[in-house]
Amino acid sequence: MRSHSDTDFGTPARAGAPAVTITIDGIMLAVPGGTSVMRAAATAGHKIPKLCATDSLEPFGSCRLCLVEIDGARGFPASCTTPVRDGMIVRTESEALAKLRRGVMELYISDHPLDCLTCPANGNCELQEMAGAVGLREVRYGYLGDNHLDSPKDESSPFFTFDPARCIVCSRCVRACEEVQGTFALTIDGRGFASKVAASQHEPFAASECVACGACVQSCPTAALTENTVVASGQPERSVVTTCGYCGVGCSFKAELKGESVVRMVPNQDGASNHGHACVKGRFAWGYATHPDRVRSPMIRARIDDPWREVSWDEAIGYAAGELRRIQTRYGRGAVGGITSSRCTNEETYLVQKLVRAALGNNNVDTCARVCHSPTGYGLKLAFGTSATTQDFDSVRYADVIMIIGANPTEGHPVFGSALKRRIREGARLIVIDPRQIEIVRLPHVAATHHLKLRPGTNVAMIDALAHVVLTEGLADFDFVRERCDPREFDIWRRFIAEPRNSPEAVEPMTGVPASELRAAARLYASVPNAAIYYGLGVTEHSQGSTMVLGMANLAMLTGNIGRPGVGVNPLRGQNNVQGSCDMGSFPHELPGYRHISDAQVRSAFERDWRVALDPEPGLRIPNMMDAALDGSFKGLYIQGEDPVQSEPDSHHVIAALRAMECVVLQDIFLNETAKFAHVMLPGSSFLEKNGTFTNSERRISRVRKVMEPLAGFQDWQITCLLSAALGYPMDYAHPAEIMDEIARLTPTFAGVSYAKLEALGSVQWPCNDAAPAGTPTMHVDRFVRGLGKFTITEYIPTEERTTARFPLILTTGRILTQYNVGSQTRRTANASLHAEDLLEIHPHDAEQRGIRDGAWLDVRSRKGVTRLRARISPRMQPGVVYTTFHHPESQTNLLTTEFSDWATNCPEYKVTAVEVVPIAKLEDYERAEHP
Ligand code: SF4
Ligand code: SF4
Ligand code: SF4
Ligand code: FES
């Protein structure tokens, strides 16, 4: 059931067609052609009774409750399936209609439990509402005949219950699963009286293809599909609009509450990035916010081997500030630094970098975005002039070819994954470039035209070869290049890319992709009006991550696929606020808005506002902080909402560095792996406990609103203010709105952003300023932000991480739908039951060679370390490549990863690690052979 407060117009809006004029119950109005009579009536304030229609789904016309009278039309047409015609005269109320509708309702109610007062949907049930609306007083058929009232419930899903006794077979759930989610898990099985909703082949929901997105539950007009939290707690009483705290899609939600407790999270129909859809994480995995593991009191300890001691906020903050100052006095101003969080709000991130620069007096601030999308920032800024995506998500509706590179959107960015699937079902062609057969390569009604299954680490060779084909086969858009790009740079680049060593035939031995397949993909990409690239960490987390971003920018410019809806180079950001944390000046060389710290003019604007002198020298990146800690010159670290022990590569190195520090201050909601090496624990707040904003993958700034009080007393921005004040640099803000005002005052791309504007517009995409007061959905429309687009030579240089006889396989990593990053949130919800452990996927040939059975325990060994995982034998892999997720701390994948990183940004090369896998049962043989 959708949120109480959402208006339902019955059928989707139609746009684009010329308006027509109709008269409904004597009122004349103009609506776009193609609009249904039902929607037109709703627009005029007339709610026609309905059951099978809802405005998130195409009309179906099965319930016959929405009948109307239309002058000149025979009978009583269904208003949901009847489009308006110019001059049409419609009556929605008459004696005859009332009788017909009562008759329909009578039939429904005669096969429906009459226990409204104890039903979980009571007060928010469309069947109940419609019975009232049509004036049903009696049911003449009795309840003694055949009915479905004893049908058993399906309680297999941890998130919702299916009660067939309450099902009216309206098919809304089936259509939601198809149209909105694109999973096709449900059908209406049987005919007539025997019709019923079936998941997959009559399986329980939990065993079916269902991915628990909740779209069916939301569309159900009765209590047939109901969230378990609503069954347990009853209907919510009020709602607060906020933004999901998980991934970079940034779905808007209504947090619905009863009293002070959250009862359910309902995706917001008005959400610009999700349009009322959600995934299993945002929809159902929010219970971690009140999990007993939450840290509720500040704690300190002098040494990491001491037990934690709960203390007051005053003592914890005083101790942290005292230690950081002591370290600076003893080891120098640069001996301390901070790490900002891509999970926290823009305002909180902004304050941490301000604290480091203004209160600690250096630029030693960095963010976990370093380990995911820093090459995106570098590459897109160099090529186009802005470190961010070129489009909004809705742009995909206009794409004719969608190229997905190194991303797995149906699992990592599921709501956008559904939008992609919808567009492909409408006819767009799909090219996937990925070492593994990700889900979207083949799904019901979706199939990739080309899957270029390349070897990990050969992205740049691949993108160069694609551009080579476009250029040498005369498929380039030279008009675009001439008008929009730097001619000198292009000339140098075209000579490079045309060289035979960049041809598909020349790179085939490296990439493993047949040249003919690559040529066909290049031709397809270049041959359509609109081609769009979407990419993820499979692009960036490589030693040539930045080169690959530049390579994609080259290809997009070469084909003129920049500057309008349907095209672009689009990073899919991992965490909810990766984009925002980068925008807010989290890097050691950049102030907010990506302006270099050495720029005296920019720096002086901040110095005036912050009333402090700033260090003009860039500070240390996270890897440099760790190296400096081992050298003895870096001793204190303030970490907001991050877990570097798990998220940074080469965990042994990180642990040794943290051990070498004298004061690690950790601000987090749980005692994570890094907490083992911390001296001060400041209990942070979850996204439900704070006010602020997140910026999603589309540069969209959305409000995060406080739904419940912070469990430990303070929102994260308040904690940073307390610490700053204790360091002698008070930062006084009454509300995060004031922090945003400061950001806007100091950052040209945010100049027009304010909480008042966000309230009025719902959300806004930066740049938002005098030139674009309502924000910028599509960038680089008439010119690139940097002026002329820059082609850059992208020479393929193989990674230094090589397979050898001892480490013959390449390990690469990714995510699955139900879990999120290192799992600290999702593992503390019912999602844990859906993915109990990380598995090592291995191709059947590789498994057979090593005598590995499905489910067997394996030692996974790299030059850096060893960890233990269970095998999943999977033909989705290619021979020579193994894959795992990293959602469980026990998996310790980063014990294996190497020190290699992107040449420009130090983004670690997580996606390529040479390993060997050995079944535990054969470990002794292996060790004897290796170490005779
Ligand atoms: S489960 Fe709900 S949405 Fe699905 S057919 Fe039954 S009543 Fe309609
Ligand atoms: S929860 Fe989502 S995937 Fe599962 S049946 Fe419902 S709509 Fe389909
Ligand atoms: S797609 Fe991302 S933002 Fe949306 S509900 Fe799922 S996790 Fe949250
Ligand atoms: S709402 Fe129109 S037929 Fe059901």
Side-chain angles (χ1 to χ4, degrees), residues 162 166-174 188 197 216 219-222 224-225:
F162 175 48
R166 298 177 194 280
C167 176
I168 57 170
V169 201
C170 66
S171 193
R172 273 161 66 160
C173 54
V174 178
I188 300 287
V197 172
C216 55
S219 69
C220 181
T222 72
L225 282 162

Side-chain angles (χ1 to χ4, degrees), residues 835-851:
H835 178 74
E837 61 181 322
D838 294 317
L839 299 168
L840 189 90
E841 283 189 36
I842 183 165
H843 190 273
H845 291 168
D846 292 327
E848 194 185 349
Q849 271 180 359
R850 290 164 178 78

Side-chain angles (χ1 to χ4, degrees), residues 160 176-177 181 183 185-186 205 210-216:
F160 55 85
C177 193
Q181 166 56 23
T183 290
L186 303 179
F205 269 82
C210 168
V211 294
C213 70
C216 55

Side-chain angles (χ1 to χ4, degrees), residues 58-73:
E58 291 300 320
F60 191 58
S62 71
C63 75
R64 311 301 295 166
L65 198 63
C66 69
L67 308 181
V68 290
E69 292 171 351
I70 299 177
D71 276 7

Side-chain angles (χ1 to χ4, degrees), residues 97-376:
L97 287 171
K99 196 165 167 223
L100 280 169
R101 289 175 187 153
R102 272 199 299 275
V104 170
M105 278 308 295
E106 218 178 330
L107 283 169
Y108 277 118
I109 298 294
S110 68
D111 191 5
H112 198 86
L114 292 181
D115 57 358
C116 286
L117 290 182
T118 53
C119 172
N122 188 25
N124 190 20
C125 169
E126 290 183 43
L127 191 69
Q128 192 180 41
E129 189 189 335
M130 289 308 129
V134 305
L136 188 70
R137 296 277 176 270
E138 57 166 348
V139 175
R140 289 166 294 169
Y141 309 115
Y143 297 92
L144 299 177
D146 282 348
N147 60 47
H148 299 86
L149 300 180
D150 292 329
S151 308
K153 289 181 188 173
D154 176 350
E155 296 175 311
S156 62
S157 163
F159 310 114
F160 55 85
T161 298
F162 175 48
D163 182 354
R166 298 177 194 280
C167 176
I168 57 170
V169 201
C170 66
S171 193
R172 273 161 66 160
C173 54
V174 178
R175 289 178 284 142
C177 193
E178 293 175 5
E179 293 177 26
V180 180
Q181 166 56 23
T183 290
F184 296 81
L186 303 179
T187 45
I188 300 287
D189 190 58
R191 309 191 67 146
F193 179 79
S195 328
K196 59 177 188 221
V197 172
S200 294
Q201 304 299 312
H202 294 279
E203 280 153 295
F205 269 82
S208 74
E209 286 140 5
C210 168
V211 294
C213 70
C216 55
V217 182
Q218 199 175 342
S219 69
C220 181
T222 72
L225 282 162
T226 309
E227 298 90 346
N228 290 345
T229 49
V230 172
V231 174
S233 309
Q235 284 289 321
E237 296 154 345
R238 64 192 172 93
S239 67
V240 179
V241 174
T242 190
T243 303
C244 180
Y246 280 115
C247 86
V249 178
C251 295
S252 177
F253 274 90
K254 290 187 176 172
E256 297 199 332
L257 295 106
K258 187 166 189 177
E260 298 308 310
S261 301
V262 177
V263 171
R264 64 177 176 179
M265 297 289 285
V266 181
N268 183 6
Q269 299 293 325
D270 297 330
S273 65
N274 59 321
H275 303 290
H277 191 34
C279 82
V280 59
K281 294 186 284 286
R283 180 79 156 94
F284 296 115
W286 41 269
Y288 70 88
T290 50
H291 193 278
D293 287 353
R294 281 286 301 272
V295 182
R296 286 159 200 256
S297 169
M299 299 187 289
I300 61 174
R301 56 185 176 184
R303 287 186 305 273
I304 57 171
D305 302 321
D306 293 344
W308 284 110
R309 190 161 62 83
E310 288 193 3
V311 294
S312 67
W313 274 103
D314 276 354
E315 187 176 347
I317 293 284
Y319 182 80
E323 279 296 282
L324 293 173
R325 283 292 186 232
R326 178 188 65 76
I327 290 168
Q328 286 191 297
T329 307
R330 175 145 183 222
Y331 299 100
R333 197 177 60 180
V336 297
I339 298 179
T340 69
S341 173
S342 296
R343 295 184 190 185
C344 288
T345 63
N346 285 316
E347 294 76 3
E348 287 162 348
T349 311
Y350 175 86
L351 288 195
V352 171
Q353 62 87 35
K354 181 175 176 180
L355 178 147
V356 171
R357 299 189 206 279
L360 298 179
N362 64 47
N363 291 307
N364 294 337
V365 62
D366 206 357
T367 167
C368 63
R370 159 88 45 228
V371 301
C372 65
H373 266 291
S374 49
T376 288

Side-chain angles (χ1 to χ4, degrees), residues 423-725:
R423 182 64 195 144
I424 295 162
R425 289 199 305 275
E426 286 168 353
R429 312 280 291 278
L430 174 66
I431 301 168
V432 172
I433 301 182
D434 202 287
R436 187 166 157 263
Q437 186 179 324
I438 56 168
E439 202 179 54
I440 203 166
V441 170
R442 188 158 296 279
L443 281 171
H445 308 285
V446 169
T449 306
H450 300 288
H451 175 202
L452 309 184
K453 214 170 182 177
L454 80 179
R455 293 216 178 94
T458 61
N459 282 340
V460 172
M462 166 76 60
I463 204 80
D464 284 348
L466 288 167
H468 175 96
V469 174
V470 173
L471 188 72
T472 57
E473 293 194 5
L475 305 171
D477 184 345
F478 287 113
D479 289 343
F480 181 91
V481 173
R482 206 172 304 114
E483 282 164 27
R484 301 283 308 270
C485 302
D486 185 321
R488 208 178 54 86
E489 311 272 10
F490 177 67
D491 252 14
I492 298 169
W493 177 82
R494 78 185 293 172
R495 282 200 295 276
F496 155 76
I497 210 73
E499 289 176 28
R501 67 195 169 101
N502 289 320
S503 71
E505 291 71 19
V507 302
E508 182 176 328
M510 295 171 258
T511 61
V513 173
S516 56
E517 183 85 8
L518 194 151
R519 280 193 184 274
R523 288 169 194 148
L524 177 60
Y525 175 84
S527 66
V528 294
N530 293 330
I533 296 174
Y534 294 90
Y535 71 94
L537 303 184
V539 158
T540 54
E541 289 177 345
H542 286 273
S543 58
Q544 281 203 293
S546 292
T547 318
M548 179 60 184
V549 175
L550 290 165
M552 294 184 301
N554 290 339
L555 182 64
M557 288 189 289
L558 182 66
T559 49
N561 278 309
I562 291 286
R564 61 183 181 278
V567 299
V569 181
N570 303 285
L572 297 173
R573 304 282 188 152
Q575 307 210 64
N576 50 333
N577 202 34
V578 175
Q579 180 66 57
S581 72
C582 298
D583 301 342
M584 292 298 111
S586 292
F587 290 125
H589 64 293
E590 280 172 344
L591 286 159
Y594 304 98
R595 285 157 309 151
H596 206 279
I597 189 77
S598 63
D599 184 326
Q601 208 179 342
V602 173
R603 211 172 53 247
S604 69
F606 281 87
E607 288 178 332
R608 273 196 306 279
D609 203 275
W610 294 356
R611 301 180 316 282
V612 68
L614 296 177
D615 184 348
E617 288 297 317
L620 299 175
R621 298 170 171 183
I622 293 171
N624 308 128
M625 291 181 201
M626 299 302 161
D627 291 345
L630 289 169
D631 292 348
S633 60
F634 190 87
K635 293 286 186 181
L637 186 57
Y638 170 39
I639 305 172
Q640 181 200 50
E642 279 304 324
D643 190 359
V645 168
Q646 277 218 80
S647 60
E648 292 292 314
D650 196 356
S651 310
H652 289 308
H653 182 72
V654 175
I655 289 170
L658 290 171
R659 278 186 186 283
M661 294 185 200
E662 293 182 5
C663 183
V664 174
V665 181
L666 180 66
Q667 182 173 320
D668 209 306
I669 60 175
F670 297 115
L671 283 169
N672 60 23
E673 293 298 298
T674 301
K676 292 177 183 156
F677 309 97
H679 305 81
V680 180
M681 185 73 207
L682 303 175
S685 44
S686 74
F687 80 110
L688 291 172
E689 296 154 59
K690 57 177 68 165
N691 282 305
T693 56
F694 291 152
T695 305
N696 75 353
S697 290
E698 327 161 88
R699 296 173 274 104
R700 184 181 301 286
I701 306 162
S702 302
R703 273 300 311 276
V704 177
R705 292 186 178 83
K706 185 154 74 78
V707 171
M708 57 195 227
E709 290 303 316
L711 291 193
F714 292 109
Q715 302 175 45
D716 287 282
W717 64 271
Q718 294 172 311
I719 299 168
T720 305
C721 288
L722 290 173
L723 183 59
S724 193

